[in-house]
Amino acid sequence: MADFTPITVPVVSEPITYFHPTPLSARFTALLPVLSAHIEAERDLAHVDRWDMAFIDWLTEAERTRADLEAALNVLCETEVQRREDKPLLRMAMLTRLMLASEDAQEFLHLHSLPQQMPSVFRCAGDHPIAARTNLLLSEAFSRLDALASLPDYLDPIEVEAEAPVADSLAFAPAL
């Protein structure tokens, strides 16, 4: 069996004197390692035959990490917002939950692009320590969602190419 080598960056924490976590921000902080564990388990399975008995424990681990992630997201999404800096964290958790539940590649791509399309919705304004800490958590979540999007189980490149419009099939209107 291979040695365990984490490939995601651990969450950087600030001293408690500058940041007093709310229940939502504490759960979001706890969510990031769970999301990383799921990504690593799925990445392990990306290049092996899932039904080979030698890798059956890896499949079980991936299913367990997915269930843990879904449970953590459900608890987080039900947590009450106590300050305005909690709102982007809650939106990111809801976006992650929707991405995990998406049925096709186009929906997944659309959801994955929302933070770039609406950056103010997924960021905190201001330069105070709470906003800085929240933005740090959100940037860690962004990087993990990018890693999630690189997994073939969530975004199959063949499916994306099949659903993309072909230039020959597009009807261009004449210029006026």
Side-chain angles (χ1 to χ4, degrees), residues 106-123:
Q106 292 303 327
E107 180 183 6
F108 186 91
L109 282 173
H110 173 70
L111 292 169
H112 185 252
S113 69
L114 286 179
Q116 288 82 23
Q117 292 175 1
M118 300 181 291
S120 63
V121 174
F122 293 96
R123 287 279 180 218

Side-chain angles (χ1 to χ4, degrees), residues 57-114:
D57 289 339
W58 291 13
L59 182 60
T60 305
E61 176 72 11
E63 290 170 352
R64 185 189 58 76
T65 59
R66 169 103 185 204
D68 292 347
L69 178 59
E70 289 173 349
L73 283 168
N74 289 337
V75 168
L76 181 61
C77 289
E78 294 171 1
T79 305
E80 182 180 333
V81 173
Q82 292 186 353
R83 62 179 171 219
R84 67 179 175 190
E85 288 83 5
D86 286 347
K87 289 181 181 181
L89 296 174
L90 183 61
R91 289 183 196 120
M92 182 60 71
M94 290 177 174
L95 177 69
T96 305
R97 187 164 66 171
L98 288 171
M99 287 175 69
L100 288 173
S102 67
E103 294 292 325
D104 63 353
Q106 292 303 327
E107 180 183 6
F108 186 91
L109 282 173
H110 173 70
L111 292 169
H112 185 252
S113 69
L114 286 179

